[in-house]
Amino acid sequence: MTTIFPQTVTCGYCGTENEIVVIGSTNAFGSMDLDMRPPPMKRDTLAQQIHQCHVCRYCAPDLAERIGPEEELAADPFRAILADNSLPRLARMFTAYAHLAETSGDLRSAVWAHRNAAWACDDTAGAFESACRCRRAALKLLDKLHAQGLSLSDDLTTDSILGLDLLRRSGRHDEVLARAADLADQDLPDILKAIARFQQRMAAASDTACYRVSDAAPA
C-alpha cells in the first residue's frame, strides 16, 4: 500500500511555509510501462512527486531545495508555462520544474520532469497532444544529455530503449523504425532486444498506445 502524510516545508525561494503531502512509503507490483512508468501502487503517486509554493509558485519535488536563478520565476517563459491551460495542472508543475532544472544545467532532472508531465497528461482525458509535446521535450533533452556522455538511467542502452517509446508514443514512427533497427543489430540482453523488435512492430502499425514490458517480453 501507499502511505502519505502532511508536511510543512519552507520554500527555498521566498521563505513561505507550505503544507504539502508527501509519500511515506509505497510499492509496485506488476510490469512497468515501456517508458518506465511503474505499476500500481507507485504509479498513482505523481501528485506527491511535485509541489508548488502557494505564494511565489516555485515548483519542485523538494520545495526547500532552490534551483535556478531568482529572476527566473518572474521571467516570461516560466510564467507562460504556469499559464498554459492546454496542459493539466499537474503537468504544468512538472514542466515548470523541468524549465528551472534545464536553466540550471540539470538535464537529467529536466528529462525526468518532462516524462512525468507526459504521464500526468496520459491520466487526463483529451490530453493526448499535450502528452506528445511533453514526450518530445523529454526526447530533445535526452539527446542533449547523451551528447554530454550522461544518461537518465545510468545506462545509455537502456536510455535508447526508453527513447523508442517516447518517439513512438509521440507519433514519430519513422524514427522508431530507424533507431530500433540499429538496436536490434546490437549485442543486447534478450529482453531489450525483444522490446526493440516490439517497438518496430508497433511503429510499423502507427500504434501510439501504452504498453508494458510484459507485452514485449518473449513468451
Side-chain angles (χ1 to χ4, degrees):
M1 63 180 293
T2 296
T3 60
I4 57 176
F5 61 91
Q7 186 178 76
T8 301
V9 178
T10 301
C11 176
Y13 266 93
C14 70
T16 300
E17 289 193 346
N18 289 264
E19 295 295 328
I20 64 173
V21 176
V22 298
I23 303 166
S25 63
T26 189
N27 54 48
F29 292 103
S31 179
M32 68 178 175
D33 294 352
L34 289 173
D35 65 358
M36 301 181 183
R37 186 173 186 180
M41 303 179 74
K42 189 176 181 180
R43 185 185 191 88
D44 302 317
T45 62
L46 274 181
Q48 288 78 47
Q49 295 180 37
I50 192 77
H51 307 286
Q52 184 178 45
C53 176
H54 69 273
V55 173
C56 71
R57 305 184 78 189
Y58 173 52
C59 298
D62 181 359
L63 286 181
E65 181 182 358
R66 175 173 167 170
I67 64 166
E70 182 173 1
E71 61 270 16
E72 197 62 49
L73 295 192
D76 289 342
F78 184 81
R79 293 164 67 90
I81 292 168
L82 294 182
D84 184 1
N85 290 326
S86 70
L87 290 172
R89 180 177 182 272
L90 187 58
R92 291 200 298 270
M93 291 166 63
F94 278 116
T95 303
Y97 172 67
H99 171 74
L100 295 175
E102 183 181 2
T103 59
S104 70
D106 186 357
L107 297 184
R108 179 178 288 178
S109 292
V111 173
W112 171 86
H114 279 304
R115 185 185 58 177
N116 281 24
W119 293 347
C121 293
D122 291 341
D123 293 340
T124 304
F128 174 75
E129 292 300 329
S130 296
C132 290
R133 196 171 92 203
C134 294
R135 287 187 166 92
R136 287 192 294 269
L139 278 161
K140 182 179 179 180
L141 293 184
L142 192 63
D143 286 342
K144 285 187 178 180
L145 193 65
H146 293 169
Q148 297 178 6
L150 303 173
S151 66
L152 178 67
S153 63
D154 295 322
D155 180 79
L156 288 173
T157 301
T158 301
D159 272 21
S160 295
I161 295 294
L162 166 64
L164 293 180
D165 203 64
L166 295 173
L167 285 166
R168 181 183 60 80
R169 295 189 64 192
S170 58
R172 292 163 63 178
H173 299 121
D174 288 343
E175 292 175 70
V176 175
L177 294 173
R179 292 198 192 188
D182 289 340
L183 285 167
D185 289 337
Q186 295 179 23
D187 184 18
L188 302 178
D190 289 345
I191 182 59
L192 297 186
K193 186 165 287 192
I195 291 173
R197 288 171 176 163
F198 179 85
Q199 295 284 19
Q200 278 182 303
R201 296 196 300 274
M202 296 305 102
S206 299
D207 189 334
T208 58
C210 175
Y211 290 101
R212 298 172 297 173
V213 170
S214 58
D215 295 319

